[in-house]
Each structure stands twice: as C-alpha cells, then as structure tokens.
Amino acid sequence: MNFKRTLLITGGAGFIGSHVVRLFVNKYPDYKIVNIDKLTYAGNLANLTDIERKANYEFVKGDICDSGFVQSLFAKLNFDGVIHLAAESHVDRSIANPMEFVTTNVIGTVTLLNAAKENWKTIPSNNKIFYHVSTDEVYGALGETGMFTEQTKYDPHSPYSASKASSDHFVRAYHDTYQLPTVISNCSNNYGSYHFPEKLIPLAINNIKNNKPVPVYGKGENVRDWLFVEDHACAIDLIFHKGKTGETYNIGGNNEWKNIDLINLLCKIMDKKLARPDGESAKLITFVKDRAGHDLRYAIDSSKLQNELGWQPSLQFEEGLEKTVDWYLANQTWLQNVTSGSYQKYYEEQYTKR
Ligand code: NAD
Ligand code: DAU
C-alpha cells in the first residue's frame, strides 16, 4: 500500500507515546506509523496490543542514541515527520542516576536531529516537521501565583528537567542554524491508562488497592497541573498538523492540585470503588522524606494553543480520575505484569511467534 506520509514516533511503547501511536494509527489509516522504542523498563508493548497488527503500523526495537541505526532507518524509510517522545522521564530516577538522562534525553535527541538534518537536505521544500515533546518542568518552579507561558525563562532544577531543557535548546538551535523545521510543546503532568506505576497517581491506585502505604513527599504541599493523557495526545495531533514551524506551544489542564488534596480525592474514589467504609483508604497516607530539589508549583498557561489552534481539554479532572481508577481496576493483569517485571518478556514472546 502507498501511504500519504510516513511518520516516525519515538518512545511509542511508553505511557504518552502509546496513546499518541494509537491515536495516529486509528485516525490516519493513510499514514504509515513507525514506532522506535528501546523498550527500557518504561517501554511496554502490551500498551499497544489493540493496534499492533494494523497495516499502517510498524514497531522497530532500537536506541535513539545509536546514530548508525537511526541514520539507516531515516535513509530506508524516508520519514515525512518525526514526533519525538522517547526519554528517561522519572524525576526520582534522574536524581539517582543523572547520566542516563543526559545520554537518552540530550544525546538521543541530537542524534535524531542530525539524522533528520542529513535526510531532509531539501528543507524547507516540502511538508516535513520534527516535533519535540517536552515538559513544563524546564521552566522551574512557581510560587503561590503566576503561570508558565511560552516566554517564561528556562530554570530547570532536577537532572531530568535540565536534560529536557538542554534537548529543547538543541531543537531550537537546529531550527535557527540549519533551518530544520521544528516545533516544541511543553506539557504539564499527564495521567490516565498505561501510566507506569512508579509515578504518583498509578502508584497510589495500586498501593491503595493492595492496602499498602501511599507515600506523600514532604507535607504534600507541592502543586501539579494535571492533564488527561488522551487530551495531550489530541494536542500533539493538532500541533503536528497545524502548529507553526519554529514555535513553542504550552499544553496544560488548567487543573492545579496540591498532592495531598489529590491523594485524598483518590482515596475517596477508591473507597467507593472498593466498597470500603469512607475514610478507610486515607489511613494509608504516609508522609515520607521530601524529594531533593522538589519544585513547589507548576501551572501552565495554554492560551496560545487554545486561541491560535482551538485546543481545549475534554475532561474534568474528577471524571478523568474516576475513569483512570476504573481502567486500573479492570486491568489488574497489566498492572501485575508491570509490577512483577514479566511485561519485559512480552516482546520476545510476541515477536518470536510471528
Ligand atoms: P515513559 O517513561 O512512560 O516512556 C518513555 C519511552 O521511551 C519508553 O517506552 C522507553 O522504552 C522509551 N525510551 C527510553 N529511552 C530510549 C532510547 N534510548 N531509545 C528509544 N526509546 C527509548 O515517558 P512518558 O511519561 O510517556 O513521557 C513521554 C515524553 O513526554 C517524554 O519526552 C517526557 O519528557 C514528556 N512529558 C511527559 C509528561 C508526563 O506527565 N509523563 C509530561 C510532559 C512531557
Ligand atoms: O510536569 C510534567 C512532568 O510530570 C513530566 O515531565 C515527568 O516526565 C513526569 O514524570 C511528571 O513529573 P513529576 O515529578 O511531577 O511526577 P511524579 O508522578 O513523579 O510526582 C508528582 C508529584 O507527586 C510530585 O510533586 C512528587 C510527588 N510524589 C511522587 C511520588 C512518585 C509523591 O508525593 N509521592 C510519590 O511516591
């Protein structure tokens, strides 16, 4: 079959990447979607079982830091666009092991930029775009008031956010120096299905279900702006197709929650779903040592994306959180496979069967 466009999505076996791959494969049957993923601990092909046999989808196991592999894939498949999500994404892991973050997030991104630059020498003669998916954490931390806009100065505090800030700078440098057609988005905290259970919301759901302590860092006063992951995927679709080259778009839910308030809400939902007496799950809340360099507050102003491209989040937080809890309770096998580590065998089993 001849496809209208061939797109590379990196990190498509991860949390957000799997939602982006699913959206593009289903919505654009005339696009060929190639998903490159190294399948680190965070990559799970079981996130994509519903679309893995579609004619317009291909999975390639590979490392974005491997320049030979990346260059040869670009030469072979002639990508018309890239949506780059592959990254080390967990702040706590970046505090424990910063080098992996420098390698994947900085060197991996520059390796992809180089391949696109080399392969797209005819730029800007056609419709190519290198879309880099980034985070609000590059802007640093807010006090009690204010919001991050696209003009906010970068001020990253964790090795994770410093590596993402660096990768954003490289993307802009390739745009300005080599006229590579790029676009960047910086999004707030996502939640939803297929979220790896070391991050706050899925970790808390899993622990509450299993009557284990729910660790809340410090006093639980830190504020995050939560967005339903499928709304992020829709924003990426819109920016990929309608965003202006060289621009940055902030994406956020306009939905700020103190961690402790969020966990209390989650406990109430879990009491209802598990038919426990009111207040039972909240007894599991355990205040633990704070994260080093813990940013106090994030809040995203996404008015540029809303006004220029017409994006709006679709779900209220309470509705999205309840939907997320329902998904985790209905997908206990997925969760058990992830927590036991057996999901990492899925690749070998599925791909040797073929
Ligand atoms: P994730 O950790 O769930 O998934 C990352 C994926 O990248 C995994 O499938 C992993 O196997 C893959 N990967 C890692 N190193 C690789 C390498 N060297 N080569 C190829 N693949 C590799 O991450 P996520 O939460 O889905 O985040 C995706 C992107 O969105 C990241 O760039 C992250 O910075 C950004 N982001 C995340 C959030 C959030 O709330 N999770 C918010 C804003 C932005
Ligand atoms: O803001 C966007 C970022 O959101 C993304 O760029 C990151 O990839 C993503 O992991 C996420 O980072 P956070 O550090 O905000 O997410 P996390 O789920 O790790 O933590 C959310 C908040 O909850 C944060 O203030 C730390 C706190 N926390 C986290 C964990 C895992 C706890 O209190 N207890 C916990 O056990």
Side-chain angles (χ1 to χ4, degrees), residues 191 201 262 265-266 269 317-325:
Y191 70 97
I201 290 181
L262 186 161
L265 172 64
L266 194 56
I269 296 175
F317 187 54
E318 283 81 350
E319 188 189 349
L321 197 57
E322 192 157 337
K323 214 171 150 173
T324 303
V325 168

Side-chain angles (χ1 to χ4, degrees), residues 48-57 350 353-354:
L48 291 165
T49 44
D50 54 328
I51 57 105
E52 69 184 2
R53 290 181 191 271
K54 295 253 173 157
N56 64 335
Y57 173 70
Q350 286 307 105
K353 261 191 229 158
R354 288 185 186 182

Side-chain angles (χ1 to χ4, degrees), residues 51-158:
I51 57 105
E52 69 184 2
R53 290 181 191 271
K54 295 253 173 157
N56 64 335
Y57 173 70
E58 185 179 344
F59 173 70
V60 182
K61 187 177 181 198
D63 186 343
I64 56 162
C65 302
D66 178 344
S67 59
F69 159 72
V70 172
Q71 297 269 8
S72 68
L73 208 65
F74 267 79
K76 188 169 137 207
L77 295 175
N78 268 320
F79 298 118
D80 299 297
V82 176
I83 305 179
H84 173 36
L85 295 113
E88 286 294 334
S89 72
H90 189 38
V91 174
D92 293 327
R93 285 181 188 252
S94 83
I95 295 167
N97 190 358
M99 277 316 287
E100 269 183 34
F101 286 70
V102 176
T103 305
T104 296
N105 299 358
V106 185
I107 297 177
T109 300
V110 178
T111 304
L112 287 165
L113 288 166
N114 273 336
K117 172 169 93 65
E118 284 310 302
N119 193 254
W120 295 349
K121 284 206 168 124
T122 50
I123 304 159
S125 60
N126 48 18
N127 214 4
K128 301 198 189 295
I129 187 85
F130 187 108
Y131 183 163
H132 177 61
V133 175
S134 192
T135 171
D136 59 357
E137 302 205 8
V138 299
Y139 296 124
L142 293 163
E144 298 293 319
T145 57
M147 291 180 117
F148 299 133
T149 72
E150 289 82 0
Q151 279 72 48
T152 303
K153 273 200 175 156
Y154 277 28
D155 182 22
H157 298 146
S158 73

